[in-house]
Amino acid sequence: MDELSEILVNQARKLVSVVELKGWSVVLALEDGEWKVESLQQLINCEVVVRSDAKVQALAKEVGAELHQIFADGWAIGWDDRFPKGQRLQQALLFARFSQHDNLYAHPLDFVPVIDSLARKVVHIDFPPSWKKKSGGDVELPVSTTQPQSLSDESFSVANRARIPPPLTTHDFLHCTVVQPEGVSFKMKGHVLEWQKWKMHVEVLYCPPSPTTTTGQLRPILYRLSIVEMAVPYGNSAFDSGEYGMGSLANELSLGCDCLGENPLLGAIAFCTVPGAYVTLVQPLLIKNAICIHEEDAGVLWKHSDFRPGGRSRTVRSRRLVVSMVCTAANYEYIWNYYFYQDGNIEIEIRLTGILQVYVAGLDEPTPYGTTVAPGINAHYHQHTFSVRVDPMLDGLQNSVIESEIVGLDAPTGSNENFAGNGFVIKDRILKSQVEDGARDFNWASERLSYAIMMKGAVLPLLEKPDSWIARRASFAHKQLWVVRDEEGPKGSRIFPSGKYVPQTREEPEDSVGKWVKEGNGSIENEDIVLFLTLGTTHIPRPEGWPVMPVEHVGVLFKPSSFFTSNPSMDVPGIKDSQSRPVFNTNNANGQHTNVFDGTACCAN
C-alpha cells in the first residue's frame, strides 16, 4: 500500500476510491449491502443521471427533445479548475434520438451538463457560446474569453446567445468471397500462434513475435509490442486508453463481417486493462470473439522478368498474417491491425472510423475550429495521438538504437571525391545517454535498428501549445521517439507513458515517459531498453466523412535491416491461383510482354 497517497470514502454510496498522485482509480462500491465493481456501467449511469435531472429535461424540451429522446456520451473531465480535484466528474455530451435506430450524433443538443459520478447528480450545465461573423469576414465570440464560464445558475445568459435546436434532417457491387479450400497455414496452441516462420503469443493488444531464419533457428525480435496510450485533444482532451481502458472497449467480432475467410475468433479476458482507467475492472470481463486471426493476399512479394528472348519470369505473391481487434470509444471505432509478412516485416496499422464528434451550429454560424458537415452540424478539428510501446529483444535483452543520417557528400562536384556530384553516405550515431538522447524528434530517413522503424506518414507534430492542458498531461506527444531503460520491479516495468492513473490528472505524472527520460544519466546503449513511438493524424473533418466516416489509416512499419543475411522470403513458392479467370476474352497481347507465347499467366516460368 506504499503507493497509495489517499483513500476517499463516499458515504452516500459507500464507494472507496484509491488515489495515486493526482489521478483516480475507482476500485469497489458498496451498494445494497454488496461490494460491486465499477465498470462501463458508470458511463451508462451518466445517461441515467442527466435524464433524471428536471432542468436537463426542461432545457431539452425547449429545443424539441423529449425525455426518452435524450442520450448522453459521458466523457471524463481531464482538467477543469472550476471544480475541486477530489470531485469525480463527467461531462455529458448530449444528443437526441428521434427513432429507435436513428443516428443520434446527427442531432446534438446545445448544452453540456457536468455530473458528479459518485453523488449521481448534475452539478453544473455549460452553454458553449456561438461564433458570429464580423463585418470584415473575421469571426468573434459574444463573450470576452474562451475560458470556461464560471459556475453560475446564469450560465445561459452568460453565453450571450439564443438556444439552438438540434438539426432534424435524417440520413437515410458484386459479392467477393474469401475462401481457403485447403485450410489455413497457421496453427494455435492456447495463445501461442505459429505461421510460416513466425511464432508469437497473442493477447489483447499484445503480440511479441519471433521469426525463424532460413536455417530454422528461432530468433527473438520483440519481447512485447503493444499500443499503450492515445490522446485526443478536444477542448478538455480525452485519453481513450488511460481513462477508459481500451481492452474493456473491445467489440465482439462477427465472422463474415469483421473477419473474412477461415479464421479462429479468440475471446479476451480484460483484467483492469489500464490500472487507472476511469472504468477500472477488478473482476475479469469476458469478451467473446475479441481477436480475429486470418491470412490475406498482400499483392506481389517479389518479381523479376528476364527481358531477353526466351528469358524466364517469376512472380511470387505475398501473404500476410493479420491479428486484429476493434474497440468502440463512444462515437469512435479504432481497428487495431497487427500484420506479419513473409519477408520479416512487422506492421501496426490503426484504422479510424465511426462517427465524428459534433456540436450543434446555429443558422449561418461560422465554424472557425470545425467543419460544417451537414446543416446545423459542426464537426470539430482534432488530432489522434497514439503511443506504441516497443520492448525490443533482438537476439537478446541488451539492445541499442542507432540514428542513421543520410547526407550528401560535402565535396563539391568536380572534386576527386565527388566528381559527378551525386555521392551520399550514411552517418551512424548510437544513442547512448537516456537524458541527452532519450527524447527524439523522429527523422523518418535516419532512425534504424537491426529492425528499422518506418513511420514517415504517421509522424504527428503536436499543434497545441507546450503549456496547454493536453501537452502537460500527455508528455509522450511532445516527441516522436522515446528511448528509456526498462526498470523491472515490484510494480512491474515501464508501460504507460502518461502514468498508470490518468483520469483528471492536471500535470505530468511522476510515473510517465517525460519523467523517466530525465532520471539520472543512465546508459541506453546495449541495455534492456523500451521505445515509445508517437504517431497519429490530424483530423480535419469533411462532409464525405458524415454521417459515418470511411476508415483513415495510420501505421508504423518495422523492417529488418541487416538482421538476415539475405531475402528471407526467397523460399516462398510462386503458386498459380487456379481460381483466377480473365473478365474479358482476348487473344491479342497487344504487343505487351507475356510470360509464355500463348499469353497465359504463370507465376513461375
Side-chain angles (χ1 to χ4, degrees), residues 103-123:
N103 176 12
L104 61 93
Y105 297 102
H107 316 295
L109 300 184
D110 69 336
F111 61 102
V112 183
V114 178
I115 74 163
D116 185 318
S117 300
L118 305 188
R120 293 189 176 182
K121 66 178 183 180
V122 174
V123 296

Side-chain angles (χ1 to χ4, degrees), residues 247-526:
S248 65
L249 305 179
N251 286 196
E252 182 176 327
L253 302 179
S254 174
L255 187 60
C257 298
D258 299 299
C259 308
L260 297 180
E262 308 258 345
N263 64 79
L265 292 167
L266 302 183
I269 299 179
F271 287 98
C272 189
T273 309
V274 178
Y278 198 74
V279 288
T280 298
L281 304 174
V282 178
Q283 295 176 350
L285 171 67
L286 177 62
I287 303 172
K288 296 181 180 179
N289 301 339
I291 301 174
C292 173
I293 302 172
H294 69 277
E295 298 171 285
E296 63 185 25
D297 182 87
V300 173
L301 176 61
W302 56 264
K303 177 182 175 68
H304 181 65
S305 297
D306 187 345
F307 68 90
R308 296 168 181 81
R312 299 198 307 172
S313 174
R314 187 174 181 87
T315 302
V316 174
R317 294 198 67 81
S318 175
R319 189 183 302 184
R320 67 184 179 190
L321 181 72
V322 184
V323 181
S324 63
M325 66 181 293
V326 182
C327 296
T328 298
N331 55 305
Y332 247 90
E333 266 74 25
Y334 298 97
I335 303 171
W336 318 101
N337 291 324
Y338 289 73
Y339 297 136
F340 301 91
Y341 295 87
Q342 293 160 308
D343 58 359
N345 285 351
I346 305 168
E347 182 180 7
I348 292 181
E349 181 199 50
I350 305 168
R351 298 187 183 187
L352 297 81
T353 181
I355 299 177
L356 292 162
Q357 177 57 44
V358 298
Y359 185 68
V360 63
L363 182 65
D364 297 326
E365 178 185 350
T367 55
Y369 300 105
T371 301
T372 301
V373 294
I377 302 291
N378 174 25
H380 313 298
Y381 300 156
H382 58 280
Q383 293 184 295
H384 297 264
T385 306
F386 304 92
S387 181
V388 176
R389 182 179 185 270
V390 183
D391 194 344
M393 196 177 178
L394 291 162
D395 286 335
L397 289 173
Q398 277 65 47
N399 288 266
S400 301
V401 177
I402 300 174
E403 185 177 73
S404 300
E405 186 176 5
I406 304 173
V407 297
L409 289 181
D410 292 332
T413 301
S415 64
N416 293 335
E417 297 84 358
N418 192 18
F419 190 79
N422 59 356
F424 60 90
V425 295
I426 298 176
K427 294 183 178 180
D428 288 344
R429 188 175 76 88
I430 299 175
L431 303 187
K432 297 184 177 183
S433 167
Q434 180 171 278
V435 173
E436 296 178 5
D437 301 321
R440 313 292 296 172
D441 289 316
F442 197 92
N443 184 336
W444 72 271
S446 67
E447 306 289 351
R448 70 177 176 90
L449 299 87
S450 289
Y451 257 74
I453 302 171
M454 315 294 289
M455 50 186 286
K456 177 184 179 182
V459 171
L460 181 73
L462 190 67
L463 299 177
E464 290 69 29
K465 297 292 186 182
D467 60 350
S468 65
W469 296 348
I470 181 65
R472 289 158 70 176
R473 300 179 67 203
S475 59
F476 75 87
H478 289 281
K479 299 291 182 180
Q480 285 77 51
L481 173 65
W482 300 84
V483 185
V484 297
R485 294 180 62 161
D486 194 12
E487 299 290 345
E488 301 281 355
K491 299 180 184 179
S493 59
R494 290 172 164 173
I495 295 180
F496 304 108
S498 290
K500 289 183 179 180
Y501 301 96
V502 176
Q504 296 185 216
T505 53
R506 299 192 183 184
E507 296 291 347
E508 179 183 13
E510 291 298 323
D511 187 25
S512 62
V513 69
K515 299 289 188 180
W516 295 333
V517 78
K518 299 175 183 177
E519 292 179 1
N521 194 27
S523 170
I524 53 175
E525 180 184 7
N526 199 30

Side-chain angles (χ1 to χ4, degrees), residues 18 50 72 79 132 154 184 234 270 312 356 399 439 491 587:
V18 179
V50 297
W79 184 312
K132 297 181 179 180
E154 303 300 323
V184 299
Y234 287 107
R312 299 198 307 172
L356 292 162
N399 288 266
K491 299 180 184 179
N587 294 317

Side-chain angles (χ1 to χ4, degrees), residues 561-584:
S561 177
S562 300
F563 188 78
F564 301 103
T565 57
S566 63
N567 183 350
S569 64
M570 288 304 298
D571 58 348
V572 177
I575 300 174
K576 180 180 178 181
D577 179 20
S578 61
Q579 301 299 314
S580 296
R581 297 285 187 275
V583 175
F584 306 106

